[in-house]
Amino acid sequence: MRMSQAPEIVRRARVPRIGPVVLAFVACLAARPGAAQDSPANRLRVEAGYSVNHEGDDKGPGGAVRYVRALDFDDTFRLETGLIAGNPYLGLDAGLEFRFPRRTRWGVVLRAGGGLLLEDGFFGFHARGGGGVEFDLNPRLALRATGQAGYHDGFIGPHVMYVGMDYRW
């Protein structure tokens, strides 16, 4: 090896390939921490929407007010509990929610739970499951649209479509 070739070899070793640099940059943007990473663990969720119960016999407005607590640092797993109401029911329920992808401003949520349901002529347990999308507006507020299917006492419902807002503190 001649001395004139040595700087060229060193220069080539220092020049990074553009492909891995671009890939790393795109990966950093995709995993960019959104408002959810910095958000507090407590939430107050207010949801309003449309409810269908008893195979479509009872339809009308429905809603929920829930307290939500993050179970991990990334706000991926949450415990939720609160009041639900619609035509013709009132209930207390609790459940778990899973949000993905982590650390992004938008996310898909899956939820499942159950509780007590009170209707005309019925008081007992109900189960629910559903999902939707969530968008973090800022570190304190999130907007969401979800749907859930329910089942109680051999009947379908309440099924609901919600639009809601989360306030974090």
Side-chain angles (χ1 to χ4, degrees), residues 32 34-36 39 43 45 75 78 97 99-101 104-109 132-146 163-168:
R32 179 183 62 81
S39 67
R43 296 172 178 240
R45 176 175 298 153
D75 200 25
R78 304 171 185 156
E97 187 173 80
R99 181 187 193 272
F100 61 93
T104 57
R105 292 184 68 87
W106 65 272
V108 174
V109 292
V133 294
E134 179 179 85
F135 182 74
D136 291 328
L137 299 172
N138 60 43
R140 295 277 179 207
L141 296 175
L143 183 64
R144 54 193 289 120
T146 59
V163 174
M165 181 74 74
D166 283 9
Y167 173 75
R168 302 178 189 115

PDB file of all heavy atoms in Angstrom, residues 32 34-36 39 43 45 75 78 97 99-101 104-109 132-146 163-168:
ATOM      1  N   ARG A  32     -41.499   8.814  17.156  1.00  0.00           N
ATOM      2  CA  ARG A  32     -41.386  10.092  17.845  1.00  0.00           C
ATOM      3  C   ARG A  32     -42.345  10.140  19.021  1.00  0.00           C
ATOM      4  O   ARG A  32     -43.528   9.880  18.867  1.00  0.00           O
ATOM      5  CB  ARG A  32     -41.704  11.233  16.878  1.00  0.00           C
ATOM      6  CG  ARG A  32     -41.632  12.589  17.495  1.00  0.00           C
ATOM      7  CD  ARG A  32     -42.023  13.643  16.495  1.00  0.00           C
ATOM      8  NE  ARG A  32     -43.386  13.493  16.023  1.00  0.00           N
ATOM      9  CZ  ARG A  32     -44.450  13.913  16.685  1.00  0.00           C
ATOM     10  NH1 ARG A  32     -44.316  14.479  17.845  1.00  0.00           N
ATOM     11  NH2 ARG A  32     -45.653  13.751  16.183  1.00  0.00           N
ATOM     12  N   GLY A  34     -45.084  11.205  21.236  1.00  0.00           N
ATOM     13  CA  GLY A  34     -46.193  12.137  21.104  1.00  0.00           C
ATOM     14  C   GLY A  34     -46.607  12.635  22.469  1.00  0.00           C
ATOM     15  O   GLY A  34     -45.908  12.483  23.457  1.00  0.00           O
ATOM     16  N   ALA A  35     -47.759  13.227  22.517  1.00  0.00           N
ATOM     17  CA  ALA A  35     -48.261  13.773  23.772  1.00  0.00           C
ATOM     18  C   ALA A  35     -48.516  12.678  24.794  1.00  0.00           C
ATOM     19  O   ALA A  35     -48.457  12.914  25.982  1.00  0.00           O
ATOM     20  CB  ALA A  35     -49.540  14.556  23.513  1.00  0.00           C
ATOM     21  N   ALA A  36     -48.792  11.448  24.332  1.00  0.00           N
ATOM     22  CA  ALA A  36     -49.134  10.367  25.265  1.00  0.00           C
ATOM     23  C   ALA A  36     -47.979  10.007  26.184  1.00  0.00           C
ATOM     24  O   ALA A  36     -48.189   9.628  27.322  1.00  0.00           O
ATOM     25  CB  ALA A  36     -49.573   9.129  24.490  1.00  0.00           C
ATOM     26  N   SER A  39     -47.889  12.466  29.020  1.00  0.00           N
ATOM     27  CA  SER A  39     -49.171  12.740  29.644  1.00  0.00           C
ATOM     28  C   SER A  39     -49.261  12.121  31.033  1.00  0.00           C
ATOM     29  O   SER A  39     -48.676  11.088  31.307  1.00  0.00           O
ATOM     30  CB  SER A  39     -50.298  12.194  28.772  1.00  0.00           C
ATOM     31  OG  SER A  39     -50.256  10.803  28.729  1.00  0.00           O
ATOM     32  N   ARG A  43     -57.107  10.173  33.845  1.00  0.00           N
ATOM     33  CA  ARG A  43     -57.949  10.758  32.802  1.00  0.00           C
ATOM     34  C   ARG A  43     -59.396  10.812  33.266  1.00  0.00           C
ATOM     35  O   ARG A  43     -59.854   9.923  33.975  1.00  0.00           O
ATOM     36  CB  ARG A  43     -57.939   9.896  31.540  1.00  0.00           C
ATOM     37  CG  ARG A  43     -56.637   9.779  30.858  1.00  0.00           C
ATOM     38  CD  ARG A  43     -56.743   8.729  29.752  1.00  0.00           C
ATOM     39  NE  ARG A  43     -55.498   8.617  29.041  1.00  0.00           N
ATOM     40  CZ  ARG A  43     -55.356   8.833  27.746  1.00  0.00           C
ATOM     41  NH1 ARG A  43     -56.393   9.137  27.021  1.00  0.00           N
ATOM     42  NH2 ARG A  43     -54.181   8.725  27.186  1.00  0.00           N
ATOM     43  N   ARG A  45     -62.837  10.767  31.160  1.00  0.00           N
ATOM     44  CA  ARG A  45     -63.328  10.537  29.802  1.00  0.00           C
ATOM     45  C   ARG A  45     -64.828  10.789  29.762  1.00  0.00           C
ATOM     46  O   ARG A  45     -65.580  10.239  30.561  1.00  0.00           O
ATOM     47  CB  ARG A  45     -63.027   9.112  29.381  1.00  0.00           C
ATOM     48  CG  ARG A  45     -63.587   8.748  28.016  1.00  0.00           C
ATOM     49  CD  ARG A  45     -63.154   7.372  27.592  1.00  0.00           C
ATOM     50  NE  ARG A  45     -61.699   7.357  27.478  1.00  0.00           N
ATOM     51  CZ  ARG A  45     -60.970   6.261  27.638  1.00  0.00           C
ATOM     52  NH1 ARG A  45     -61.534   5.116  27.937  1.00  0.00           N
ATOM     53  NH2 ARG A  45     -59.661   6.312  27.497  1.00  0.00           N
ATOM     54  N   ASP A  75     -48.527   4.450  28.633  1.00  0.00           N
ATOM     55  CA  ASP A  75     -49.960   4.685  28.465  1.00  0.00           C
ATOM     56  C   ASP A  75     -50.555   3.698  27.456  1.00  0.00           C
ATOM     57  O   ASP A  75     -51.463   4.027  26.718  1.00  0.00           O
ATOM     58  CB  ASP A  75     -50.210   6.132  28.036  1.00  0.00           C
ATOM     59  CG  ASP A  75     -51.628   6.588  28.307  1.00  0.00           C
ATOM     60  OD1 ASP A  75     -52.274   6.028  29.207  1.00  0.00           O
ATOM     61  OD2 ASP A  75     -52.089   7.501  27.612  1.00  0.00           O
ATOM     62  N   ARG A  78     -54.608   0.479  30.090  1.00  0.00           N
ATOM     63  CA  ARG A  78     -55.366   1.369  30.973  1.00  0.00           C
ATOM     64  C   ARG A  78     -56.503   0.607  31.648  1.00  0.00           C
ATOM     65  O   ARG A  78     -57.082  -0.306  31.071  1.00  0.00           O
ATOM     66  CB  ARG A  78     -55.978   2.512  30.162  1.00  0.00           C
ATOM     67  CG  ARG A  78     -54.988   3.302  29.371  1.00  0.00           C
ATOM     68  CD  ARG A  78     -55.712   4.242  28.455  1.00  0.00           C
ATOM     69  NE  ARG A  78     -54.794   4.932  27.584  1.00  0.00           N
ATOM     70  CZ  ARG A  78     -55.132   5.441  26.414  1.00  0.00           C
ATOM     71  NH1 ARG A  78     -56.362   5.332  25.980  1.00  0.00           N
ATOM     72  NH2 ARG A  78     -54.250   6.063  25.677  1.00  0.00           N
ATOM     73  N   GLU A  97     -58.258  -1.382  28.677  1.00  0.00           N
ATOM     74  CA  GLU A  97     -58.088  -0.822  27.345  1.00  0.00           C
ATOM     75  C   GLU A  97     -56.633  -0.986  26.936  1.00  0.00           C
ATOM     76  O   GLU A  97     -55.731  -0.843  27.757  1.00  0.00           O
ATOM     77  CB  GLU A  97     -58.481   0.654  27.382  1.00  0.00           C
ATOM     78  CG  GLU A  97     -58.513   1.309  26.043  1.00  0.00           C
ATOM     79  CD  GLU A  97     -59.076   2.703  26.128  1.00  0.00           C
ATOM     80  OE1 GLU A  97     -58.332   3.619  26.522  1.00  0.00           O
ATOM     81  OE2 GLU A  97     -60.268   2.869  25.813  1.00  0.00           O
ATOM     82  N   ARG A  99     -53.904   0.329  23.909  1.00  0.00           N
ATOM     83  CA  ARG A  99     -53.690   1.319  22.849  1.00  0.00           C
ATOM     84  C   ARG A  99     -52.370   1.026  22.135  1.00  0.00           C
ATOM     85  O   ARG A  99     -51.355   0.798  22.762  1.00  0.00           O
ATOM     86  CB  ARG A  99     -53.619   2.719  23.447  1.00  0.00           C
ATOM     87  CG  ARG A  99     -53.426   3.809  22.423  1.00  0.00           C
ATOM     88  CD  ARG A  99     -53.190   5.143  23.151  1.00  0.00           C
ATOM     89  NE  ARG A  99     -53.294   6.270  22.295  1.00  0.00           N
ATOM     90  CZ  ARG A  99     -52.281   6.778  21.587  1.00  0.00           C
ATOM     91  NH1 ARG A  99     -51.100   6.211  21.632  1.00  0.00           N
ATOM     92  NH2 ARG A  99     -52.451   7.839  20.831  1.00  0.00           N
ATOM     93  N   PHE A 100     -52.390   1.040  20.814  1.00  0.00           N
ATOM     94  CA  PHE A 100     -51.173   0.846  20.032  1.00  0.00           C
ATOM     95  C   PHE A 100     -51.275   1.657  18.747  1.00  0.00           C
ATOM     96  O   PHE A 100     -52.391   1.978  18.330  1.00  0.00           O
ATOM     97  CB  PHE A 100     -50.936  -0.646  19.747  1.00  0.00           C
ATOM     98  CG  PHE A 100     -52.045  -1.293  18.958  1.00  0.00           C
ATOM     99  CD1 PHE A 100     -51.979  -1.379  17.572  1.00  0.00           C
ATOM    100  CD2 PHE A 100     -53.173  -1.805  19.605  1.00  0.00           C
ATOM    101  CE1 PHE A 100     -53.000  -1.964  16.855  1.00  0.00           C
ATOM    102  CE2 PHE A 100     -54.191  -2.392  18.883  1.00  0.00           C
ATOM    103  CZ  PHE A 100     -54.103  -2.470  17.508  1.00  0.00           C
ATOM    104  N   PRO A 101     -50.200   2.033  18.089  1.00  0.00           N
ATOM    105  CA  PRO A 101     -48.814   1.880  18.492  1.00  0.00           C
ATOM    106  C   PRO A 101     -48.476   2.782  19.671  1.00  0.00           C
ATOM    107  O   PRO A 101     -49.166   3.770  19.937  1.00  0.00           O
ATOM    108  CB  PRO A 101     -48.017   2.284  17.250  1.00  0.00           C
ATOM    109  CG  PRO A 101     -48.920   3.174  16.500  1.00  0.00           C
ATOM    110  CD  PRO A 101     -50.315   2.741  16.805  1.00  0.00           C
ATOM    111  N   THR A 104     -47.189   7.481  20.051  1.00  0.00           N
ATOM    112  CA  THR A 104     -47.564   8.227  18.863  1.00  0.00           C
ATOM    113  C   THR A 104     -48.746   9.115  19.199  1.00  0.00           C
ATOM    114  O   THR A 104     -49.435   8.899  20.194  1.00  0.00           O
ATOM    115  CB  THR A 104     -47.942   7.288  17.703  1.00  0.00           C
ATOM    116  OG1 THR A 104     -49.002   6.439  18.134  1.00  0.00           O
ATOM    117  CG2 THR A 104     -46.765   6.451  17.262  1.00  0.00           C
ATOM    118  N   ARG A 105     -49.002  10.100  18.370  1.00  0.00           N
ATOM    119  CA  ARG A 105     -50.125  11.007  18.615  1.00  0.00           C
ATOM    120  C   ARG A 105     -51.460  10.343  18.311  1.00  0.00           C
ATOM    121  O   ARG A 105     -52.481  10.726  18.853  1.00  0.00           O
ATOM    122  CB  ARG A 105     -49.962  12.277  17.799  1.00  0.00           C
ATOM    123  CG  ARG A 105     -48.794  13.114  18.272  1.00  0.00           C
ATOM    124  CD  ARG A 105     -48.707  14.414  17.528  1.00  0.00           C
ATOM    125  NE  ARG A 105     -49.798  15.305  17.827  1.00  0.00           N
ATOM    126  CZ  ARG A 105     -49.824  16.160  18.843  1.00  0.00           C
ATOM    127  NH1 ARG A 105     -48.814  16.224  19.662  1.00  0.00           N
ATOM    128  NH2 ARG A 105     -50.856  16.953  19.030  1.00  0.00           N
ATOM    129  N   TRP A 106     -51.489   9.382  17.412  1.00  0.00           N
ATOM    130  CA  TRP A 106     -52.718   8.670  17.098  1.00  0.00           C
ATOM    131  C   TRP A 106     -52.535   7.216  17.498  1.00  0.00           C
ATOM    132  O   TRP A 106     -51.426   6.721  17.601  1.00  0.00           O
ATOM    133  CB  TRP A 106     -53.024   8.763  15.602  1.00  0.00           C
ATOM    134  CG  TRP A 106     -51.991   8.074  14.767  1.00  0.00           C
ATOM    135  CD1 TRP A 106     -50.831   8.599  14.281  1.00  0.00           C
ATOM    136  CD2 TRP A 106     -51.988   6.701  14.376  1.00  0.00           C
ATOM    137  NE1 TRP A 106     -50.123   7.652  13.604  1.00  0.00           N
ATOM    138  CE2 TRP A 106     -50.811   6.471  13.644  1.00  0.00           C
ATOM    139  CE3 TRP A 106     -52.878   5.646  14.575  1.00  0.00           C
ATOM    140  CZ2 TRP A 106     -50.493   5.236  13.108  1.00  0.00           C
ATOM    141  CZ3 TRP A 106     -52.556   4.412  14.041  1.00  0.00           C
ATOM    142  CH2 TRP A 106     -51.383   4.221  13.318  1.00  0.00           C
ATOM    143  N   GLY A 107     -53.645   6.544  17.723  1.00  0.00           N
ATOM    144  CA  GLY A 107     -53.551   5.143  18.096  1.00  0.00           C
ATOM    145  C   GLY A 107     -54.867   4.419  17.920  1.00  0.00           C
ATOM    146  O   GLY A 107     -55.932   5.019  17.840  1.00  0.00           O
ATOM    147  N   VAL A 108     -54.765   3.116  17.845  1.00  0.00           N
ATOM    148  CA  VAL A 108     -55.925   2.236  17.809  1.00  0.00           C
ATOM    149  C   VAL A 108     -56.139   1.734  19.223  1.00  0.00           C
ATOM    150  O   VAL A 108     -55.185   1.395  19.918  1.00  0.00           O
ATOM    151  CB  VAL A 108     -55.671   1.056  16.837  1.00  0.00           C
ATOM    152  CG1 VAL A 108     -56.801   0.056  16.886  1.00  0.00           C
ATOM    153  CG2 VAL A 108     -55.467   1.582  15.435  1.00  0.00           C
ATOM    154  N   VAL A 109     -57.388   1.710  19.684  1.00  0.00           N
ATOM    155  CA  VAL A 109     -57.685   1.216  21.020  1.00  0.00           C
ATOM    156  C   VAL A 109     -58.588  -0.008  20.927  1.00  0.00           C
ATOM    157  O   VAL A 109     -59.482  -0.076  20.094  1.00  0.00           O
ATOM    158  CB  VAL A 109     -58.357   2.300  21.912  1.00  0.00           C
ATOM    159  CG1 VAL A 109     -57.398   3.404  22.221  1.00  0.00           C
ATOM    160  CG2 VAL A 109     -59.605   2.857  21.289  1.00  0.00           C
ATOM    161  N   GLY A 132     -61.592   1.299  18.606  1.00  0.00           N
ATOM    162  CA  GLY A 132     -61.734   2.559  17.898  1.00  0.00           C
ATOM    163  C   GLY A 132     -60.389   3.221  17.683  1.00  0.00           C
ATOM    164  O   GLY A 132     -59.348   2.566  17.691  1.00  0.00           O
ATOM    165  N   VAL A 133     -60.418   4.531  17.512  1.00  0.00           N
ATOM    166  CA  VAL A 133     -59.201   5.310  17.284  1.00  0.00           C
ATOM    167  C   VAL A 133     -59.150   6.457  18.280  1.00  0.00           C
ATOM    168  O   VAL A 133     -60.175   6.923  18.775  1.00  0.00           O
ATOM    169  CB  VAL A 133     -59.132   5.854  15.836  1.00  0.00           C
ATOM    170  CG1 VAL A 133     -58.987   4.733  14.847  1.00  0.00           C
ATOM    171  CG2 VAL A 133     -60.325   6.719  15.521  1.00  0.00           C
ATOM    172  N   GLU A 134     -57.917   6.894  18.558  1.00  0.00           N
ATOM    173  CA  GLU A 134     -57.691   7.977  19.509  1.00  0.00           C
ATOM    174  C   GLU A 134     -56.612   8.902  18.941  1.00  0.00           C
ATOM    175  O   GLU A 134     -55.644   8.428  18.353  1.00  0.00           O
ATOM    176  CB  GLU A 134     -57.238   7.395  20.839  1.00  0.00           C
ATOM    177  CG  GLU A 134     -56.955   8.420  21.909  1.00  0.00           C
ATOM    178  CD  GLU A 134     -56.546   7.759  23.208  1.00  0.00           C
ATOM    179  OE1 GLU A 134     -55.358   7.454  23.368  1.00  0.00           O
ATOM    180  OE2 GLU A 134     -57.437   7.534  24.041  1.00  0.00           O
ATOM    181  N   PHE A 135     -56.790  10.206  19.106  1.00  0.00           N
ATOM    182  CA  PHE A 135     -55.817  11.184  18.635  1.00  0.00           C
ATOM    183  C   PHE A 135     -55.504  12.157  19.766  1.00  0.00           C
ATOM    184  O   PHE A 135     -56.412  12.767  20.324  1.00  0.00           O
ATOM    185  CB  PHE A 135     -56.356  11.950  17.429  1.00  0.00           C
ATOM    186  CG  PHE A 135     -55.381  12.939  16.880  1.00  0.00           C
ATOM    187  CD1 PHE A 135     -54.285  12.518  16.143  1.00  0.00           C
ATOM    188  CD2 PHE A 135     -55.536  14.289  17.126  1.00  0.00           C
ATOM    189  CE1 PHE A 135     -53.370  13.426  15.645  1.00  0.00           C
ATOM    190  CE2 PHE A 135     -54.623  15.207  16.629  1.00  0.00           C
ATOM    191  CZ  PHE A 135     -53.539  14.778  15.883  1.00  0.00           C
ATOM    192  N   ASP A 136     -54.225  12.272  20.114  1.00  0.00           N
ATOM    193  CA  ASP A 136     -53.806  13.195  21.171  1.00  0.00           C
ATOM    194  C   ASP A 136     -53.713  14.602  20.595  1.00  0.00           C
ATOM    195  O   ASP A 136     -52.888  14.869  19.722  1.00  0.00           O
ATOM    196  CB  ASP A 136     -52.443  12.786  21.733  1.00  0.00           C
ATOM    197  CG  ASP A 136     -52.514  11.492  22.512  1.00  0.00           C
ATOM    198  OD1 ASP A 136     -53.544  11.208  23.123  1.00  0.00           O
ATOM    199  OD2 ASP A 136     -51.510  10.770  22.495  1.00  0.00           O
ATOM    200  N   LEU A 137     -54.575  15.486  21.065  1.00  0.00           N
ATOM    201  CA  LEU A 137     -54.556  16.867  20.603  1.00  0.00           C
ATOM    202  C   LEU A 137     -53.398  17.650  21.209  1.00  0.00           C
ATOM    203  O   LEU A 137     -52.792  18.487  20.560  1.00  0.00           O
ATOM    204  CB  LEU A 137     -55.880  17.551  20.959  1.00  0.00           C
ATOM    205  CG  LEU A 137     -57.126  16.927  20.328  1.00  0.00           C
ATOM    206  CD1 LEU A 137     -58.379  17.548  20.908  1.00  0.00           C
ATOM    207  CD2 LEU A 137     -57.081  17.077  18.822  1.00  0.00           C
ATOM    208  N   ASN A 138     -53.135  17.387  22.486  1.00  0.00           N
ATOM    209  CA  ASN A 138     -52.023  18.009  23.212  1.00  0.00           C
ATOM    210  C   ASN A 138     -51.764  17.150  24.443  1.00  0.00           C
ATOM    211  O   ASN A 138     -52.422  16.125  24.620  1.00  0.00           O
ATOM    212  CB  ASN A 138     -52.339  19.478  23.555  1.00  0.00           C
ATOM    213  CG  ASN A 138     -53.567  19.641  24.434  1.00  0.00           C
ATOM    214  OD1 ASN A 138     -53.762  18.905  25.396  1.00  0.00           O
ATOM    215  ND2 ASN A 138     -54.403  20.613  24.109  1.00  0.00           N
ATOM    216  N   PRO A 139     -50.834  17.527  25.319  1.00  0.00           N
ATOM    217  CA  PRO A 139     -50.552  16.665  26.480  1.00  0.00           C
ATOM    218  C   PRO A 139     -51.731  16.477  27.441  1.00  0.00           C
ATOM    219  O   PRO A 139     -51.730  15.543  28.226  1.00  0.00           O
ATOM    220  CB  PRO A 139     -49.404  17.385  27.182  1.00  0.00           C
ATOM    221  CG  PRO A 139     -48.723  18.138  26.101  1.00  0.00           C
ATOM    222  CD  PRO A 139     -49.823  18.577  25.174  1.00  0.00           C
ATOM    223  N   ARG A 140     -52.747  17.312  27.372  1.00  0.00           N
ATOM    224  CA  ARG A 140     -53.888  17.194  28.289  1.00  0.00           C
ATOM    225  C   ARG A 140     -55.155  16.634  27.658  1.00  0.00           C
ATOM    226  O   ARG A 140     -55.999  16.091  28.363  1.00  0.00           O
ATOM    227  CB  ARG A 140     -54.213  18.566  28.881  1.00  0.00           C
ATOM    228  CG  ARG A 140     -53.130  19.122  29.741  1.00  0.00           C
ATOM    229  CD  ARG A 140     -53.218  18.558  31.117  1.00  0.00           C
ATOM    230  NE  ARG A 140     -52.145  19.098  31.929  1.00  0.00           N
ATOM    231  CZ  ARG A 140     -51.635  18.475  32.947  1.00  0.00           C
ATOM    232  NH1 ARG A 140     -52.080  17.314  33.306  1.00  0.00           N
ATOM    233  NH2 ARG A 140     -50.658  19.013  33.632  1.00  0.00           N
ATOM    234  N   LEU A 141     -55.321  16.766  26.337  1.00  0.00           N
ATOM    235  CA  LEU A 141     -56.587  16.394  25.693  1.00  0.00           C
ATOM    236  C   LEU A 141     -56.376  15.359  24.598  1.00  0.00           C
ATOM    237  O   LEU A 141     -55.418  15.433  23.833  1.00  0.00           O
ATOM    238  CB  LEU A 141     -57.254  17.621  25.081  1.00  0.00           C
ATOM    239  CG  LEU A 141     -57.702  18.705  26.045  1.00  0.00           C
ATOM    240  CD1 LEU A 141     -58.226  19.907  25.270  1.00  0.00           C
ATOM    241  CD2 LEU A 141     -58.768  18.184  26.986  1.00  0.00           C
ATOM    242  N   ALA A 142     -57.311  14.421  24.519  1.00  0.00           N
ATOM    243  CA  ALA A 142     -57.325  13.426  23.446  1.00  0.00           C
ATOM    244  C   ALA A 142     -58.748  13.294  22.928  1.00  0.00           C
ATOM    245  O   ALA A 142     -59.708  13.319  23.697  1.00  0.00           O
ATOM    246  CB  ALA A 142     -56.823  12.077  23.947  1.00  0.00           C
ATOM    247  N   LEU A 143     -58.878  13.175  21.639  1.00  0.00           N
ATOM    248  CA  LEU A 143     -60.166  12.978  20.978  1.00  0.00           C
ATOM    249  C   LEU A 143     -60.245  11.527  20.536  1.00  0.00           C
ATOM    250  O   LEU A 143     -59.255  10.960  20.082  1.00  0.00           O
ATOM    251  CB  LEU A 143     -60.267  13.914  19.772  1.00  0.00           C
ATOM    252  CG  LEU A 143     -61.569  13.905  18.994  1.00  0.00           C
ATOM    253  CD1 LEU A 143     -62.720  14.396  19.871  1.00  0.00           C
ATOM    254  CD2 LEU A 143     -61.433  14.779  17.761  1.00  0.00           C
ATOM    255  N   ARG A 144     -61.433  10.908  20.652  1.00  0.00           N
ATOM    256  CA  ARG A 144     -61.558   9.491  20.324  1.00  0.00           C
ATOM    257  C   ARG A 144     -62.911   9.184  19.704  1.00  0.00           C
ATOM    258  O   ARG A 144     -63.893   9.880  19.962  1.00  0.00           O
ATOM    259  CB  ARG A 144     -61.317   8.629  21.560  1.00  0.00           C
ATOM    260  CG  ARG A 144     -62.163   8.978  22.732  1.00  0.00           C
ATOM    261  CD  ARG A 144     -61.714   8.335  24.033  1.00  0.00           C
ATOM    262  NE  ARG A 144     -61.948   6.930  24.063  1.00  0.00           N
ATOM    263  CZ  ARG A 144     -60.983   6.017  24.217  1.00  0.00           C
ATOM    264  NH1 ARG A 144     -59.749   6.372  24.361  1.00  0.00           N
ATOM    265  NH2 ARG A 144     -61.264   4.750  24.224  1.00  0.00           N
ATOM    266  N   ALA A 145     -62.934   8.140  18.888  1.00  0.00           N
ATOM    267  CA  ALA A 145     -64.163   7.612  18.305  1.00  0.00           C
ATOM    268  C   ALA A 145     -64.104   6.098  18.480  1.00  0.00           C
ATOM    269  O   ALA A 145     -63.154   5.457  18.035  1.00  0.00           O
ATOM    270  CB  ALA A 145     -64.269   7.980  16.839  1.00  0.00           C
ATOM    271  N   THR A 146     -65.096   5.538  19.169  1.00  0.00           N
ATOM    272  CA  THR A 146     -65.083   4.107  19.469  1.00  0.00           C
ATOM    273  C   THR A 146     -66.455   3.488  19.263  1.00  0.00           C
ATOM    274  O   THR A 146     -67.473   4.183  19.241  1.00  0.00           O
ATOM    275  CB  THR A 146     -64.647   3.835  20.927  1.00  0.00           C
ATOM    276  OG1 THR A 146     -65.551   4.491  21.814  1.00  0.00           O
ATOM    277  CG2 THR A 146     -63.232   4.323  21.184  1.00  0.00           C
ATOM    278  N   VAL A 163     -68.324   9.160  20.486  1.00  0.00           N
ATOM    279  CA  VAL A 163     -67.300  10.157  20.229  1.00  0.00           C
ATOM    280  C   VAL A 163     -67.003  10.745  21.595  1.00  0.00           C
ATOM    281  O   VAL A 163     -67.919  11.094  22.346  1.00  0.00           O
ATOM    282  CB  VAL A 163     -67.779  11.249  19.263  1.00  0.00           C
ATOM    283  CG1 VAL A 163     -66.735  12.351  19.120  1.00  0.00           C
ATOM    284  CG2 VAL A 163     -68.103  10.648  17.907  1.00  0.00           C
ATOM    285  N   GLY A 164     -65.725  10.825  21.942  1.00  0.00           N
ATOM    286  CA  GLY A 164     -65.401  11.258  23.296  1.00  0.00           C
ATOM    287  C   GLY A 164     -64.166  12.112  23.375  1.00  0.00           C
ATOM    288  O   GLY A 164     -63.415  12.278  22.408  1.00  0.00           O
ATOM    289  N   MET A 165     -63.965  12.649  24.567  1.00  0.00           N
ATOM    290  CA  MET A 165     -62.816  13.488  24.870  1.00  0.00           C
ATOM    291  C   MET A 165     -62.240  13.031  26.184  1.00  0.00           C
ATOM    292  O   MET A 165     -62.966  12.760  27.131  1.00  0.00           O
ATOM    293  CB  MET A 165     -63.260  14.956  24.972  1.00  0.00           C
ATOM    294  CG  MET A 165     -62.162  15.928  25.250  1.00  0.00           C
ATOM    295  SD  MET A 165     -61.101  16.257  23.844  1.00  0.00           S
ATOM    296  CE  MET A 165     -62.132  17.257  22.831  1.00  0.00           C
ATOM    297  N   ASP A 166     -60.911  12.914  26.232  1.00  0.00           N
ATOM    298  CA  ASP A 166     -60.196  12.592  27.461  1.00  0.00           C
ATOM    299  C   ASP A 166     -59.493  13.855  27.965  1.00  0.00           C
ATOM    300  O   ASP A 166     -58.846  14.550  27.186  1.00  0.00           O
ATOM    301  CB  ASP A 166     -59.117  11.538  27.225  1.00  0.00           C
ATOM    302  CG  ASP A 166     -59.671  10.139  27.094  1.00  0.00           C
ATOM    303  OD1 ASP A 166     -60.894   9.988  27.013  1.00  0.00           O
ATOM    304  OD2 ASP A 166     -58.856   9.198  27.051  1.00  0.00           O
ATOM    305  N   TYR A 167     -59.619  14.104  29.269  1.00  0.00           N
ATOM    306  CA  TYR A 167     -58.853  15.167  29.915  1.00  0.00           C
ATOM    307  C   TYR A 167     -57.886  14.490  30.885  1.00  0.00           C
ATOM    308  O   TYR A 167     -58.298  13.703  31.731  1.00  0.00           O
ATOM    309  CB  TYR A 167     -59.762  16.146  30.677  1.00  0.00           C
ATOM    310  CG  TYR A 167     -58.973  17.132  31.474  1.00  0.00           C
ATOM    311  CD1 TYR A 167     -58.314  18.182  30.848  1.00  0.00           C
ATOM    312  CD2 TYR A 167     -58.843  16.991  32.845  1.00  0.00           C
ATOM    313  CE1 TYR A 167     -57.561  19.076  31.580  1.00  0.00           C
ATOM    314  CE2 TYR A 167     -58.083  17.886  33.597  1.00  0.00           C
ATOM    315  CZ  TYR A 167     -57.442  18.921  32.952  1.00  0.00           C
ATOM    316  OH  TYR A 167     -56.692  19.814  33.679  1.00  0.00           O
ATOM    317  N   ARG A 168     -56.597  14.786  30.755  1.00  0.00           N
ATOM    318  CA  ARG A 168     -55.567  14.159  31.595  1.00  0.00           C
ATOM    319  C   ARG A 168     -55.089  15.118  32.668  1.00  0.00           C
ATOM    320  O   ARG A 168     -54.937  16.310  32.423  1.00  0.00           O
ATOM    321  CB  ARG A 168     -54.371  13.747  30.730  1.00  0.00           C
ATOM    322  CG  ARG A 168     -54.721  12.823  29.627  1.00  0.00           C
ATOM    323  CD  ARG A 168     -53.459  12.523  28.812  1.00  0.00           C
ATOM    324  NE  ARG A 168     -53.789  11.804  27.611  1.00  0.00           N
ATOM    325  CZ  ARG A 168     -53.623  12.288  26.398  1.00  0.00           C
ATOM    326  NH1 ARG A 168     -53.120  13.465  26.202  1.00  0.00           N
ATOM    327  NH2 ARG A 168     -53.949  11.561  25.353  1.00  0.00           N
TER     328      ARG A 168
END
